């Protein structure tokens, strides 16, 4: 082989090695950015909610009567019912919790690991136990995004208006609102104690929302149409301090297909809710009651980590 050919061959090998190195660097950067966005914890606030009750010495610190599906005391009444329907040609199992409170201060929120930020997750049941919750559902998974208005237990954590939100008030009422029409400080001054940023609105002024097929929640990686049958979590209100929480199982053949948003909204309307709001669903949909997970997430009895919960204590 001539020296020229050998030289050209060496140069060709070097180019291949260079291109391969560049390819690996680019792939590594892409993987790191994806991990940084969706996997790596970013803690903005430690000990985020100072009134957490992390010890169990005062768990259920009141006289009460209870069984696997109900709880009653002088300050609150919780009744959970498991329901199955075969409407619209598919089988769906869902759980309805009717919650009546004497005081709205019993309705709270908590963060995974009591930290505010992105990609910080724990199971709904673990967050509930850490906060001595009697009852809990998953929240809006605020940690998956970096916008929205986030007020929890009367403390502002994020003020980046983006979508239609939900507000809970210290007088026990609940309202949906357009985040872009207000601010966190204005909401606080009006008596808001909790906000959730997900959606869409299911029921407003006793009427279900129409045209869900045109709605989407976010443009984050992995999101798709939200109208198909899916596991769901939602909250509704009948009157001040009288709430309805519904968790729907789904994506499990021969057990539960899930609900479309139209079907989900109709359940709240039929239960007499004047307003109802859709929270994070899918594998996140979890209902917890007195030490156990009530529903069957994705038909696998396996929870998915979430960033926050709504709970009663």
């Amino acid at each position: 082989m001539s020296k020229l050919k050998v030289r050209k061959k060496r140069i060709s090998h070097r180019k291949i090695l260079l291109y391969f190195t560049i390819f690996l660097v680019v792939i590594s950067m892409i993987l790191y950015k994806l991990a940084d966005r969706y996997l790596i914890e970013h803690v903005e606030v430690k000990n985020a909610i100072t009134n957490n009750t992390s010890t169990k010495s005062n768990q259920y610190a009141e006289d009460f009567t209870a069984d696997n599906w109900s709880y009653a005391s002088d300050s609150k009444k919780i009744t959970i019912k498991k329901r199955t329907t075969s409407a619209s040609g598919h089988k769906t199992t869902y759980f309805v919790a009717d919650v009546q409170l004497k005081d709205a201060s019993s309705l709270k929120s908590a963060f995974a690991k009591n930290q505010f930020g992105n990609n910080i997750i724990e199971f709904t049941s673990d967050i509930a136990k850490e906060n001595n919750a009697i009852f809990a559902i998953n929240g809006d998974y605020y940690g998956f995004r970096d916008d929205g208005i986030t007020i929890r237990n009367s403390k502002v954590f994020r003020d980046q208006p983006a979508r239609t939100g939900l507000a809970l008030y210290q007088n026990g009422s609940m309202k949906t609102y357009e985040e872009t029409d207000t601010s966190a400080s204005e909401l606080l001054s009006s008596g808001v104690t909790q906000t959730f940023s997900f959606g869409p609105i299911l029921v407003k002024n006793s009427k279900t929302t129409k045209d869900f097929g045109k709605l989407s929640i976010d443009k984050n990686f992995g999101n798709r149409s939200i109208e198909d049958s899916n596991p769901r979590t939602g909250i509704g209100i009948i009157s001040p301090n009288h709430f309805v929480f519904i968790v729907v199982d789904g994506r499990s053949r021969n057990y539960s297909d899930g609900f479309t948003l139209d079907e989900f909204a109709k359940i709240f309307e039929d239960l007499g809710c004047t307003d109802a709001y859709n929270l994070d669903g899918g594998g996140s949909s979890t209902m917890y009651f007195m030490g156990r997970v009530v529903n069957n997430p994705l038909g696998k009895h396996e929870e998915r980590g979430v960033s926050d919960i709504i709970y009663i204590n």
Side-chain angles (χ1 to χ4, degrees):
M1 185 180 294
S2 67
K3 291 184 179 180
L4 180 59
K5 288 183 178 180
V6 171
R7 186 178 179 182
K8 287 183 177 179
K9 189 174 183 179
R10 288 177 178 174
I11 293 174
S12 178
H13 285 166
R14 288 174 183 172
K15 284 185 177 179
I16 291 174
L17 181 60
L18 176 62
Y19 292 151
F20 183 69
T21 302
I22 292 173
F23 173 77
L24 287 179
V25 170
V26 171
I27 293 298
S28 297
M29 291 176 63
I30 292 173
L31 290 176
Y32 174 77
K33 287 184 176 181
L34 288 173
D36 185 61
R37 174 64 182 85
Y38 299 108
L39 297 175
I40 298 174
E41 290 187 2
H42 294 279
V43 179
E44 297 177 34
V45 183
K46 294 183 178 181
N47 298 316
I49 300 177
T50 56
N51 63 348
N52 274 10
T53 51
S54 57
T55 63
K56 296 185 179 181
S57 60
N58 64 340
Q59 190 174 28
Y60 316 146
E62 60 182 357
D63 293 329
F64 66 91
T65 59
D67 57 30
N68 284 338
W69 300 98
S70 65
Y71 178 103
S73 70
D74 289 339
S75 64
K76 59 188 70 74
K77 181 179 179 181
I78 302 170
T79 303
I80 301 172
K81 293 183 179 179
K82 178 181 179 180
R83 296 180 175 178
T84 300
T85 178
S86 296
S88 302
H90 59 88
K91 180 180 178 180
T92 297
T93 299
Y94 63 103
F95 300 81
V96 179
D98 184 278
V99 176
Q100 298 180 56
L101 306 174
K102 185 176 181 180
D103 191 312
S105 63
S106 296
L107 180 57
K108 301 176 181 178
S109 178
F111 296 133
K113 302 179 183 179
N114 196 22
Q115 297 175 340
F116 177 83
N118 294 106
N119 305 323
I120 305 167
I121 61 173
E122 283 186 291
F123 293 152
T124 293
S125 60
D126 288 338
I127 307 174
K129 290 173 184 176
E130 290 161 6
N131 290 275
N132 299 334
I134 299 169
F135 170 87
I137 60 169
N138 60 286
D140 65 1
Y141 213 146
Y142 80 87
F144 185 64
R145 59 187 64 82
D146 55 12
D147 58 15
I149 294 179
T150 304
I151 299 173
R152 300 297 165 85
N153 300 350
S154 301
K155 181 177 179 180
V156 177
F157 289 92
R158 181 180 289 161
D159 192 7
Q160 299 292 329
R163 58 186 65 80
T164 300
L166 174 72
L168 303 179
Y169 290 77
Q170 61 187 11
N171 65 2
S173 62
M174 181 185 102
K175 298 178 182 177
T176 55
Y177 70 102
E178 293 300 326
E179 292 180 336
T180 53
D181 292 340
T182 186
S183 67
S185 60
E186 290 176 348
L187 291 168
L188 272 182
S189 64
S190 68
V192 171
T193 57
Q194 320 281 349
T195 63
F196 298 92
S197 186
F198 201 86
I201 297 171
L202 300 171
V203 179
K204 191 174 182 66
N205 297 326
S206 300
K207 295 182 179 180
T208 58
T209 300
K210 306 299 180 183
D211 299 324
F212 283 118
K214 299 178 181 179
L215 297 174
S216 61
I217 302 171
D218 291 307
K219 298 185 182 301
N220 287 320
F221 176 81
N223 278 14
R224 58 185 185 275
S225 170
I226 59 173
E227 171 55 6
D228 296 335
S229 294
N230 280 298
R232 307 278 182 191
T233 299
I235 178 174
I237 189 167
I238 294 175
S239 60
N241 285 322
H242 187 179
F243 298 93
V244 173
F245 300 86
I246 301 178
V247 166
V248 182
D249 283 337
R251 300 181 192 167
S252 179
R253 189 176 180 182
N254 298 324
Y255 165 60
S256 184
D257 293 334
F259 277 146
T260 65
L261 285 171
D262 290 295
E263 292 167 336
F264 197 34
K266 188 67 167 55
I267 296 295
F268 281 102
E269 182 185 45
D270 289 346
L271 289 170
C273 293
T274 59
D275 293 271
Y277 188 80
N278 185 59
L279 295 164
D280 184 31
S284 299
S285 291
T286 306
M287 181 179 287
Y288 169 95
F289 180 64
M290 297 191 71
R292 70 187 179 99
V293 174
V294 174
N295 68 310
N296 183 1
L298 299 181
K300 300 178 180 179
H301 294 287
E302 296 178 0
E303 293 180 73
R304 182 171 74 182
V306 298
S307 61
D308 59 313
I309 65 169
I310 303 172
Y311 73 98
I312 307 293
N313 79 347

